[in-house]
């Protein structure tokens, strides 16, 4: 099966979590942060697809509606919010907090995009590079994913951009996107960055000029080989607190 950035990083951080979630198909614990991120991405994409004609009120309503649908669907599956993962406070408190936070972040994104007017690259006629799908081979492994945005630079290269509602940033993700864009679309990538919803602006640019398909492919090849060989090493520790497999894991540091 095709691999992805999230699969590879999950396997590297804890092979047992990978096993439980992707092989055993254990139902994950819900977390409001997941629905927050999904709804924010949907709103930001809609803003861009409207050529930024969508205003703050409409975008915030779109976020609110999608967040509510996702959360209510998850509550149907797990109504006990004490079982929901949360970085701080109870699961119920986090659901409410992120509803307001996501609205604020969506409003700031609209204002930022209208002020800075980043030039979204066109992957084809009437095909702006938003949630752009790719599938390439790296290290002998099929790799696929979706790139939040590609932005045209002054030198006709493109910049890969990932939108983040949380604090975790993955340089490997930007590296994968850079080599994938070169292979799949034949355009050069020199830099990447993150739009940080918490700050309402961009991160510092990451230099991607020296990143090669061979370098990135090594990690995919190692991950794929480990999975095929049945190596799923548990790595209990601080990250167990935020792991959606902790309820099914005999190694989790969250279990007494």
């Amino acid at each position: 099966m095709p691999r992805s950035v999230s699969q590879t990083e999950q396997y590297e951080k804890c092979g047992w979590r990978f096993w439980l979630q992707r092989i055993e198909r254990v139902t994950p614990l819900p977390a409001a942060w997941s629905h927050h991120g999904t709804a924010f991405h949907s709103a930001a994409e809609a803003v861009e697809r409207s050529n930024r004609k969508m205003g703050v009120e409409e975008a915030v309503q779109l976020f609110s509606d999608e967040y509510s649908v996702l959360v209510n669907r998850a509550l149907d599956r797990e109504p006990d919010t004490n079982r929901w993962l949360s970085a701080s406070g109870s699961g119920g408190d986090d659901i409410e907090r992120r509803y307001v936070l996501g609205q604020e972040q969506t409003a700031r994104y609209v204002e930022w995009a209208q002020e800075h007017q980043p030039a979204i690259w066109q992957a084809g006629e009437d095909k702006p590079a938003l949630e752009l799908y790719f599938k390439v081979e790296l290290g002998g492994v099929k790799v696929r994913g979706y790139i939040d945005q590609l932005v045209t630079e002054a030198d006709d290269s493109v910049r890969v951009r990932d939108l983040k509602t949380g604090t975790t940033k993955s340089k490997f993700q930007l590296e994968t996107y850079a080599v994938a864009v070169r292979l799949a679309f034949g355009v050069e990538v020199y830099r990447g960055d993150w739009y940080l919803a918490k700050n309402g602006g961009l991160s510092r640019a990451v230099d991607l000029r020296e990143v090669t398909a061979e370098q990135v492919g090594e990690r995919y090849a190692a991950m794929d080989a480990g999975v095929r060989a049945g190596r799923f090493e548990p790595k209990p520790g601080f990250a167990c607190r935020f792991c959606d497999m902790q309820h099914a894991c005999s190694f989790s540091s969250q279990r007494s």
Side-chain angles (χ1 to χ4, degrees), residues 8 10 12-13 17 67 71 78 97 105 107 118 132 151 157 160 163 183 187 197 234-235:
T8 302
Q10 184 184 68
E12 291 173 343
K13 291 174 182 176
R17 180 186 179 191
Y67 181 81
V71 167
E78 179 49 81
R97 182 179 71 85
Q105 291 177 344
L132 184 64
V151 180
S157 67
V160 292
L163 310 183
L183 291 172
V187 64
K235 297 179 181 178

Side-chain angles (χ1 to χ4, degrees), residues 66-230:
E66 176 151 355
Y67 181 81
S68 298
V69 167
L70 293 170
V71 167
N72 286 330
R73 192 179 297 159
L75 284 169
D76 286 342
R77 294 191 296 267
E78 179 49 81
D80 184 0
T81 56
N82 290 322
R83 286 176 54 81
W84 282 51
L85 296 174
S86 173
S88 62
S90 69
D93 289 342
D94 199 41
I95 290 171
E96 296 180 6
R97 182 179 71 85
R98 289 180 181 277
Y99 181 77
V100 175
L101 178 60
Q103 291 177 328
E104 294 170 348
Q105 291 177 344
T106 300
R108 283 201 299 269
Y109 179 82
V110 175
E111 294 164 353
W112 175 87
Q114 291 177 344
E115 177 184 354
H116 295 276
Q117 294 290 321
I120 302 298
W121 185 69
Q122 296 295 310
E125 187 175 354
D126 296 324
K127 188 179 179 182
L130 301 166
E131 291 296 320
L132 184 64
Y133 177 77
F134 69 85
K135 186 176 180 181
V136 296
E137 186 170 300
L138 297 171
V141 178
K142 287 183 174 61
V143 177
R144 67 181 177 186
Y146 291 87
I147 304 170
D148 287 347
Q149 297 178 359
L150 292 181
V151 180
T152 302
E153 299 273 59
D155 58 5
D156 292 328
S157 67
V158 297
R159 180 184 297 214
V160 292
R161 177 163 296 160
D162 195 57
L163 310 183
K164 291 294 182 188
T165 52
T167 56
T168 301
K169 301 189 294 293
S170 167
K171 186 177 179 182
F172 178 59
Q173 183 178 37
L174 296 185
E175 292 172 341
T176 295
Y177 290 172
V179 298
V181 167
R182 293 169 190 158
L183 291 172
F185 303 103
V187 64
E188 190 51 83
V189 179
Y190 298 130
R191 292 182 291 183
D193 60 26
W194 297 275
Y195 174 83
L196 304 175
K198 283 193 171 185
N199 302 332
L202 299 179
S203 70
R204 294 180 62 180
V206 176
D207 189 342
L208 300 170
R209 288 172 293 185
E210 302 301 320
V211 177
T212 67
E214 291 73 22
Q215 291 171 333
V216 175
E218 288 178 0
R219 287 181 66 173
Y220 286 105
M223 172 267 188
D224 188 68
V227 172
R228 291 178 182 277

